Amino acid sequence: MFLDLTNKYKILIVLISLTLGISSCVSPSQSQSEIATSVAQTVQAQNSLTKAASIPIATSVPTLALTPTPSVDPTHTSAPIAIPGCTLSAVLVAESPPDNVLLKPGEYFWKTWSLQNTGTCTWDSSYKLVFWSGERMGGLDSYAFPTLIAPGETKDVSIYLKAPEAEGTYTGYWQIQSPWGVNFGVGQANAPFYVQISVSNTPQYGIISVTYELVRNPATGCPVNVRYRVYATITVNGPYEFTYFWAQSDGNNSKTDTMQFTQAGSKTIWREWMIGRGDSPNPRWMRIIVTEPKYQEYDKAVILNNCP
């Protein structure tokens, strides 16, 4: 009986000691159940961090559309792209150098597009010119717009490129990218605009096109005299000099003149024909004829007398 009582006292002393040891490690206000809860939360947090570290971070890779066609007319008003509170559209007004400019292998050159902002957003430096497809010609993936282009404004956007080393014809397509990642082009089809070059070790420079525009003055009506002005735009693929004259269907040809280009580009000249009321209703025409260094007759600009 004495021994049992002694053992009970010993057990009681051990329990008291354990209680005092635990209480010395925690604050008086923290219970054992709170300690257990804190430990469980710590383990859960460690497990969560481990899992988060093992989850791969998704990266956004833009998908580029291929095979845009250079035959799309880029001069029409583009189809708008609906964006909440904003419309994105553009028109290609002009470009330099012209398509099929003739370059030597590895030759550096500037490509300039004259773009009109026909949307409702102002293009700032957060907008980019982005490579779309085709031949990169040493260009970067993207170029930030260097200046503001407000709705309705037309400004030049230029990049520095390099012709490939191999001979051939190359085309590179580009688009505009908004700050929220929407790509858009020009014209009714919203098509990419492009740079097209021909590379040759022995370039043969010359005229690559002659186009006409006819302007009637006045635009309507039949006054005593109607003036028809024919604008001829002559485009060359490199440095070139030639002699030409205006030929007319009535034989009233112009004198010969010389035109000189120091680089690929276009120049526009004009000539006027006055038709009086009662003159012959037969069609008339003008055309450019090059005499030197190589004789070449170009298409006719036809004038119809709608006030005979």
Side-chain angles (χ1 to χ4, degrees):
M1 186 72 177
F2 177 78
L3 290 175
D4 292 340
L5 184 58
T6 303
N7 289 333
K8 290 180 179 179
Y9 284 136
K10 288 181 178 180
I11 292 171
L12 182 58
I13 293 171
V14 170
L15 292 175
I16 293 171
S17 300
L18 289 173
T19 302
L20 293 173
I22 293 173
S23 63
S24 65
C25 297
V26 298
S27 64
S29 62
Q30 189 173 20
S31 67
Q32 290 185 4
S33 62
E34 290 175 326
I35 295 171
T37 301
S38 177
V39 170
Q41 291 175 344
T42 302
V43 172
Q44 184 181 11
Q46 289 175 341
N47 291 337
S48 299
L49 291 173
T50 303
K51 291 180 181 179
S54 64
I55 297 174
I57 299 174
T59 56
S60 176
V61 179
T63 302
L64 300 183
L66 301 177
T67 65
T69 58
S71 60
V72 175
D73 183 4
T75 61
H76 292 84
T77 302
S78 64
I81 301 173
I83 299 295
C86 188
T87 300
L88 300 174
S89 64
V91 166
L92 176 61
V93 177
E95 60 183 316
S96 178
D99 293 337
N100 295 313
V101 57
L102 197 55
L103 301 172
K104 296 179 180 178
E107 184 175 351
Y108 288 92
F109 66 102
W110 285 97
K111 179 65 180 184
T112 300
W113 293 281
S114 183
L115 298 172
Q116 183 182 19
N117 181 353
T118 56
T120 60
C121 307
T122 295
W123 303 344
D124 55 22
S125 59
S126 64
Y127 283 75
K128 298 177 182 179
L129 182 73
V130 294
F131 176 70
W132 186 248
S133 67
E135 173 58 47
R136 190 184 297 272
M137 302 181 203
L140 302 178
D141 288 338
S142 64
Y143 298 83
F145 272 39
T147 184
L148 293 178
I149 306 180
E153 284 189 328
T154 300
K155 290 188 179 181
D156 291 342
V157 177
S158 302
I159 56 176
Y160 199 49
L161 301 173
K162 180 182 180 182
E165 296 294 339
E167 291 186 312
T169 299
Y170 300 91
T171 306
Y173 300 91
W174 297 79
Q175 285 199 331
I176 304 169
Q177 186 177 89
S178 72
W180 50 91
V182 173
N183 289 355
F184 61 102
V186 296
Q188 283 185 323
N190 197 40
F193 41 97
Y194 56 92
V195 50
Q196 189 172 72
I197 65 172
S198 295
V199 180
S200 174
N201 286 301
T202 56
Q204 299 295 318
Y205 301 118
I207 297 172
I208 57 177
S209 70
V210 175
T211 59
Y212 300 105
E213 180 184 3
L214 179 63
V215 177
R216 185 184 191 271
N217 183 24
T220 60
C222 293
V224 175
N225 295 308
V226 178
R227 296 180 181 273
Y228 293 88
R229 181 172 292 190
V230 177
Y231 293 89
T233 300
I234 302 173
T235 303
V236 300
N237 59 5
Y240 193 61
E241 183 177 332
F242 58 92
T243 302
Y244 72 96
F245 68 92
W246 286 92
Q248 294 189 183
S249 55
D250 63 353
N252 185 26
N253 300 337
S254 72
K255 296 180 180 180
T256 58
D257 201 354
T258 299
M259 185 176 292
Q260 184 176 19
F261 289 81
T262 58
Q263 60 184 4
S266 300
K267 293 183 180 181
T268 300
I269 54 177
W270 59 270
R271 183 171 172 83
E272 211 167 60
W273 192 327
M274 186 176 69
I275 300 176
R277 184 187 300 167
D279 286 353
S280 169
N282 295 331
R284 298 154 172 80
W285 55 260
M286 290 185 187
R287 75 192 316 177
I288 294 292
I289 296 180
V290 173
T291 57
E292 296 289 343
K294 180 182 178 180
Y295 185 85
Q296 176 68 53
E297 295 181 353
Y298 290 92
D299 291 338
K300 300 173 182 177
V302 179
I303 302 172
L304 300 177
N305 180 15
N306 51 12
C307 291

